[in-house]
Amino acid sequence: MARISKHELMSAFDNFGVATLESPPTDEALLIYNHADAIPDKLLQSSPAVNEYEFITRIDNVTEAIQNCGSLNVQFTHTPVGFRPQCHVWIPAHNLPAFHVDRWMRFSDATTNSNKFNHNAPLQHVGSITTPNGVDRFDLPAFKTLISAHWKALLQFFENSDVVLEDIRKILKSNGIKPPTAKHIKNDTLAHEAITVMTVNYGQSDLLVNFFCAAKARGLDLHRVLVFVTDEETKQLVEGFSKDLGVMVYYDERNFAALPKGGEHVKYGDGTFTSMMFAKILCVLYVNLSGYDTLYQDVDIVYYRNPLDFFNDYGSGSQNFDMIFQHDGSSQPRYAPYSCNSGFFYTRSNKKVQYLLTSLLYHGDLIRKTRSHQQVLNQLLLEHSSLFGLKVKVLDRHDYPHFPGGYHFNFDHSTMHQIISGELKPYIFHMFFTDGKETKVKFLKQFGEWYVHEECTEKLVDSANNLPVSHCCSEKPLISCYYKDKPSTIPCNDSPAHDENGEPFWKQ
């Protein structure tokens, strides 16, 4: 065995695709060599250390540490708060190796209806994201309530998929978009021309309009944006803007007509939010199957620059990535190890990605049960990365500050000051990590990223059809103060705090 700097190892492999794992810079990784031939030359030539905390030799050079490794099996592990010390077992399996981790924990006997940790209890086999108090975060859906309903939705999809794909092909062609062609970028990655896709219901449509207006104010081209709407009202709305902005719209009435229109008070994980995840899966799958690379984004986003310019040529020194995600920032075990944000991600059009997206579609009942598209997607990414070699990259918020979002807004005010001052020029800003549309709108207004006149938000359909876009969209941001402790383009120190004991964003 050998110890090596975790930071150096992660850096040598572009973090193995995951975001930088938050930990002290002194953290080390443990290398286990399963055969004498795998042991590095330097370790064979040195005498083992015998100090109390250094009984395993440390190797400072990553290249030397893995120089004789014909393959490298990587596992991310830690001891979360509330867990007891862990042991890891590596069992020689000869010709039957497995690349999954089975988890065992000590809980009280199941007959007592107690899931509390009990050191005297025998180890029991549990799910991989079981909490210290015995809660399995992947509680499975029941057949009658969720699985059967999802089967009906899948049947509707299967019966109409060819028609929908042909509809999309016609829409793209009518907007002057040529059939997809491939090109080689860094590391022989095969890239296709990309389409940006979004999905929205009427309840969230004012956030979509703000995306349009912000892009218009900055003179950005939206003719490669395709919006999948889930109701007729929003279809009319987007059509009103498409005349001036070139944005495309598609209403898949066969699959989306039964989805809720939403409203002001929709929040992460509620029934309306969860129902919309079906549309979120389909819109990416449709366009990717059509042969285009796909940038999916939620509607609570504004552009500073067109992010397609970044993704079209993105590669890295060590890998060709199939899927590239914004960093979410959540450290919950159910999002491990990627902590990827499912509201802004790029997919290459290839069979590995298409199979991942198809698998996600088949897991729609589990998404409804967990009330999280992101949780299920993270676990499928882990499975497909291990089983099929799907290459996943998360744009770590430290290494890629040009893709900031709600995490920075709420917790990283230094980055927010850099954006406001112009020192940092992002591609986008994504108001995730914020509960509810009403709060998101207030935050965007205060941050100076709201461009929609009030008369257009009061009755959006009539405004889009009867008023030119110039009457809906402001050329300059419409700024309002709400909270002194949240980022703002102007000092809002006379406003109340949003968080308990929140300190002013602008120091006196």
Side-chain angles (χ1 to χ4, degrees):
M1 292 191 291
R3 297 177 295 122
I4 192 169
S5 164
K6 187 192 82 172
H7 173 75
E8 296 298 329
L9 179 64
M10 297 285 286
S11 297
F13 288 91
D14 205 348
N15 288 338
F16 295 101
V18 306
T20 298
L21 305 177
E22 303 289 351
S23 61
T26 55
D27 269 13
E28 295 177 321
L30 181 65
L31 288 166
I32 299 176
Y33 305 102
N34 74 337
H35 193 278
D37 291 344
I39 298 174
D41 300 341
K42 181 176 181 179
L43 193 59
L44 289 172
Q45 298 167 2
S46 63
S47 300
V50 294
N51 293 338
E52 181 179 2
Y53 298 107
E54 295 185 353
F55 59 93
I56 300 175
T57 302
R58 177 184 171 97
I59 302 177
D60 293 323
N61 186 287
V62 173
T63 302
E64 291 180 357
I66 62 175
Q67 68 180 131
N68 295 328
C69 296
S71 62
L72 192 66
N73 301 322
V74 179
Q75 179 192 347
F76 297 101
T77 184
H78 78 314
T79 303
V81 176
F83 278 83
R84 300 307 189 270
Q86 299 184 70
C87 299
H88 296 267
V89 179
W90 283 268
I91 303 175
H94 302 291
N95 293 327
L96 297 173
F99 295 94
H100 290 74
V101 177
D102 286 342
R103 195 140 176 260
W104 297 66
M105 297 177 67
R106 297 184 186 275
F107 289 128
S108 298
D109 194 306
T111 59
T112 66
N113 294 320
S114 173
N115 283 329
K116 292 183 178 180
F117 178 85
N118 182 349
H119 185 75
N120 296 318
L123 288 163
Q124 302 178 41
H125 189 203
V126 299
S128 63
I129 52 175
T130 301
T131 64
N133 59 359
V135 176
D136 188 344
R137 297 305 298 267
F138 260 128
D139 186 19
L140 296 174
F143 176 78
K144 288 186 177 180
T145 54
L146 291 178
I147 297 177
S148 60
H150 184 55
W151 284 6
K152 292 177 182 178
L154 287 176
L155 180 61
Q156 186 79 357
F157 165 78
F158 292 141
E159 290 178 340
N160 296 284
S161 58
D162 289 341
V163 175
V164 173
L165 288 170
E166 179 61 19
D167 288 346
I168 292 172
R169 187 192 68 79
K170 291 177 180 178
I171 289 172
L172 295 173
K173 183 178 180 180
S174 67
N175 214 42
I177 295 176
K178 298 178 181 180
T181 57
K183 67 174 182 177
H184 285 279
I185 59 174
K186 297 179 182 178
N187 303 308
D188 292 327
T189 298
L190 193 63
H192 299 78
E193 294 178 83
I195 302 295
T196 299
V197 298
M198 311 171 75
T199 188
V200 65
N201 60 13
Y202 188 64
Q204 302 291 308
S205 56
D206 45 352
L207 287 169
L208 175 67
V209 172
N210 186 61
F211 166 72
F212 291 159
C213 292
K216 181 179 184 298
R218 293 186 168 107
L220 299 176
D221 180 17
L222 298 182
H223 90 281
R224 299 189 74 87
V225 174
L226 174 56
V227 182
F228 287 77
V229 298
T230 61
D231 51 71
E232 183 63 34
E233 292 88 342
T234 312
K235 178 175 179 288
Q236 295 176 27
L237 171 67
V238 180
E239 286 175 342
F241 280 86
S242 66
K243 299 170 186 176
D244 289 320
L245 302 179
V247 64
M248 298 170 285
V249 60
Y250 181 59
Y251 178 28
D252 179 8
E253 189 172 2
R254 303 168 191 84
N255 290 296
F256 295 166
L259 297 180
K261 293 183 180 180
E264 289 291 325
H265 304 294
V266 174
K267 293 187 177 181
Y268 181 89
D270 70 11
T272 298
F273 177 92
T274 305
S275 296
M276 286 297 295
M277 295 304 99
F278 187 62
K280 189 170 181 174
I281 295 169
L282 290 189
C283 68
V284 180
L285 177 60
Y286 283 142
V287 177
N288 200 283
L289 288 175
S290 299
Y292 296 91
D293 286 2
T294 305
L295 173 61
Y296 174 81
Q297 61 179 54
D298 286 342
V299 294
D300 54 346
I301 282 177
V302 292
Y303 282 0
Y304 296 87
R305 298 180 277 168
N306 193 327
L308 289 181
D309 295 339
F310 172 86
F311 291 109
N312 283 341
D313 295 316
Y314 179 75
S316 85
S318 61
Q319 297 193 53
N320 316 320
F321 295 110
D322 300 305
M323 303 183 73
I324 308 168
F325 290 83
Q326 183 181 30
H327 188 185
D328 182 78
S330 174
S331 59
Q332 295 182 56
R334 61 186 181 138
Y335 300 144
Y338 291 110
S339 186
C340 66
N341 189 291
S342 62
F344 186 83
F345 62 94
Y346 192 91
T347 69
R348 304 288 183 200
S349 181
N350 61 44
K351 63 182 181 181
K352 289 182 180 180
V353 171
Q354 289 165 3
Y355 196 62
L356 179 282
L357 296 174
T358 304
S359 299
L360 184 62
L361 171 65
Y362 295 161
H363 282 78
D365 45 9
L366 187 57
I367 292 173
R368 285 184 172 274
K369 181 63 178 179
T370 60
R371 295 182 175 271
S372 176
H373 172 275
Q374 187 168 320
Q375 174 178 336
V376 177
L377 176 60
N378 266 273
Q379 298 307 314
L380 285 176
L381 290 173
L382 188 62
E383 171 70 10
H384 283 239
S385 175
S386 174
L387 187 58
F388 304 119
L390 179 78
K391 295 179 174 62
V392 181
K393 173 64 180 177
V394 177
L395 300 175
D396 179 88
R397 62 176 179 268
H398 302 296
D399 297 334
Y400 296 88
H402 299 95
F403 294 90
Y407 180 91
H408 302 83
F409 191 92
N410 288 288
F411 307 112
D412 184 0
H413 287 183
S414 174
T415 295
M416 298 306 297
H417 274 292
Q418 291 178 43
I419 296 172
I420 291 170
S421 69
E423 180 182 349
L424 175 62
K425 299 185 184 301
Y427 279 95
I428 66 157
F429 187 87
H430 181 192
M431 193 59 80
F432 66 92
F433 236 109
T434 304
D435 197 12
K437 187 188 77 171
E438 182 180 358
T439 303
K440 291 184 179 188
V441 171
K442 289 180 179 179
F443 284 179
L444 287 167
K445 287 181 176 180
Q446 179 161 309
F447 182 38
E449 290 300 337
W450 191 258
Y451 290 82
V452 186
H453 289 300
E454 194 67 31
E455 62 265 27
C456 289
T457 59
E458 292 174 351
K459 199 172 184 182
L460 280 170
V461 172
D462 288 343
S463 297
N465 286 330
N466 299 327
L467 290 174
V469 172
S470 59
H471 286 193
C472 278
C473 296
S474 173
E475 294 182 359
K476 296 182 179 181
L478 304 172
I479 302 169
S480 301
C481 279
Y482 292 97
Y483 307 108
K484 65 181 179 182
D485 58 333
K486 295 298 178 182
S488 57
T489 56
I490 59 174
C492 293
N493 291 359
D494 293 333
S495 300
H498 179 273
D499 300 334
E500 186 176 357
N501 301 320
E503 294 293 327
F505 177 75
W506 291 97
K507 306 297 183 182
Q508 297 285 2

